[in-house]
DNA sequence: ATTTGTGAACAGTTTCACAGCG
DNA sequence: CGCTGTGAAACTGTTCACAAAT
């Protein structure tokens, strides 16, 4: 067997985040159950798909497990290039984030259709007018985009991003994007997240 | 039948977002398939769980369907109160967001452990030192929290939020939170989202 | 002794295919 | 007559329970 289902992949990504803050040397499926709420059986099944085979009578070695998740799920590739499109309030907050330091993701470009912003804002990487989107993404080989534009622009920018081969979009807008199956979308808008929480709490 | 699965709820929330930007009067399951990538059969099954029963030979009436999703999934309740904890770069961006205007969510409080921030920052709702978290959440009846604090504080603040009965947390930190099953978490950190995209793109 | 790894049973979700309805 | 709604089948994911490993 060597086929990791989508739900298992999502859990493994979160497990890797959990392990990154873990101070113990070893961790058992039981401990992971307590921390995450997933059953110990599902945890063991997920991890077995990684073909780690070093879990023993004292549980999984934390660092080894973490490294195994990272390599299997392509979380350890060197320098995956990202860009941010839309430099309004949200985009500016992301510009200055330190969250990607020490990660494999590197922000290499920002875009906004308002040239005033691209000229005035300060950042560690170049800011361009949105007209240069295709050129910069192709020449830099950017694989991931963070979408933080106004609602009205969201779908058209998303389509342009897909067109130039971006593999994934982190969608900070509350619009549902239509994209080809070659591009993946993660919806992280505040409104969508709140509505998802409400829906989960609705007992039906 | 009257049991909506978690994946179906997630899809319905996104479908509601799609409908909110839809200009047509009617929409068919086939059209929804083209926009979302979900199969027409799964769309019909999801919608059938709502017991709308007004789909006809020209598809579902958009406004009626949208309202039905909203009422079934508790998206139409009046004024669900939210607060934001952590007023750093990300928190400040959320402070000023207009995304929740015209929604049922109302931001009513902000918290930060740095009193300088709570005194200096401008906002349409009161900002408090984090020591007042429990008091304000309980007295205001706040149900949802947006977590945008530093990594080190994330788990302890999350536990305090659960303790005072918050039903859902939108987690902007890249930490995996351990919470009781009475509180739901949506992880929307940039790093987690990027890693989830990479994992989906890894062919295993 | 404790914990993993995994066949086999089970539960849940999606797809198929078509009857029934507007 | 096109489109929904839904049994039944197919598939996917989860849980159980225990043999294997250290």
């Amino acid at each position: 067997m060597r086929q990791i289902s989508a739900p298992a992949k999502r859990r493994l990504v979160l497990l890797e985040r959990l392990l990154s803050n873990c101070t113990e040397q070893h961790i058992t499926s039981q401990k992971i159950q307590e921390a995450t709420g997933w059953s110990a059986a599902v945890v063991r099944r997920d991890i077995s798909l990684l073909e780690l085979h070093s879990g023993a009578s004292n549980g999984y070695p934390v660092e080894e497990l973490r490294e195994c998740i990272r390599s299997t799920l392509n979380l350890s590739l060197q320098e995956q290039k990202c860009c941010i499109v839309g430099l309004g309030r949200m985009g500016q907050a992301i510009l200055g984030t330190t969250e990607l330091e020490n990660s494999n993701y590197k922000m290499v470009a920002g875009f906004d259709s308002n040239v005033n912003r691209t000229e005035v804002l300060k950042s560690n990487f170049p800011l361009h007018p949105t007209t240069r989107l295709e050129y910069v993404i192709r020449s830099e080989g950017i694989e991931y985009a963070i979408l933080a534009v106004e609602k009205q622009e969201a779908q058209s920018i998303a389509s342009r991003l897909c067109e130039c081969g971006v593999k994934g979009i982190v969608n900070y807008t509350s619009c549902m994007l239509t994209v080809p199956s070659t591009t993946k979308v993660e919806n992280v808008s505040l409104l969508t997240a709140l509505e998802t929480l409400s829906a989960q709490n609705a007992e039906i």
Side-chain angles (χ1 to χ4, degrees), chain A residues 70-82:
Chain A
R70 298 187 61 80
S71 64
T72 308
L73 297 186
N74 277 193
L75 271 35
S76 289
L77 300 178
Q78 301 211 326
E79 205 174 271
Q80 314 232 58
K81 292 188 184 178
C82 308

Side-chain angles (χ1 to χ4, degrees), chain A residues 5 16 21 33 43 50 62 68 71 86 99 101 118 121 125 129 132 144 147 164 173 177 180 183 199:
Chain A
S5 68
E16 191 276 337
N21 285 326
Q33 167 172 317
V43 169
L50 302 172
V62 171
C68 185
S71 64
E99 202 184 344
E101 278 172 18
T118 59
L121 289 170
F125 45 87
R132 305 233 310 146
Y144 295 98
L147 189 66
C164 42
T173 78
L177 304 175
T183 302

Side-chain angles (χ1 to χ4, degrees), chain A residues 11-144:
Chain A
R11 284 192 299 263
L12 286 168
V13 167
L14 292 174
L15 177 56
E16 191 276 337
R17 298 273 85 235
L18 177 74
L19 297 176
S20 76
N21 285 326
C22 182
T23 53
E24 308 290 316
Q25 294 253 306
H26 291 263
I27 193 165
T28 64
S29 55
Q30 183 60 38
K31 282 262 163 49
I32 297 173
Q33 167 172 317
E34 285 154 23
T36 61
W38 312 321
S39 79
V42 97
V43 169
R44 291 204 300 277
R45 179 76 68 183
D46 286 352
I47 294 174
S48 79
L49 300 173
L50 302 172
E51 294 171 349
L52 174 73
H53 295 296
S54 68
S57 54
N58 48 353
Y60 303 96
V62 171
E63 264 318 308
E64 208 173 320
L65 174 54
R66 186 178 174 214
E67 202 38 65
C68 185
I69 296 174
R70 298 187 61 80
S71 64
T72 308
L73 297 186
N74 277 193
L75 271 35
S76 289
L77 300 178
Q78 301 211 326
E79 205 174 271
Q80 314 232 58
K81 292 188 184 178
C82 308
C83 67
I84 166 142
V85 191
L87 300 174
R89 216 180 269 273
M90 203 59 175
Q92 288 174 36
I94 297 166
L95 269 194
T97 190
T98 58
E99 202 184 344
L100 299 186
E101 278 172 18
N102 309 319
S103 84
N104 305 99
Y105 300 95
K106 191 175 180 197
M107 203 71 91
V108 298
F111 300 95
D112 199 294
S113 41
N114 180 340
V115 183
N116 201 38
R117 281 186 187 150
T118 59
E119 281 173 357
V120 169
L121 289 170
K122 293 251 189 297
S123 116
N124 299 323
F125 45 87
L127 305 180
H128 309 273
T130 310
T131 46
R132 305 233 310 146
L133 188 83
E134 284 80 0
Y135 174 76
V136 175
I137 288 182
R138 288 213 169 90
S139 58
E140 286 274 3
I142 292 173
E143 295 190 300
Y144 295 98

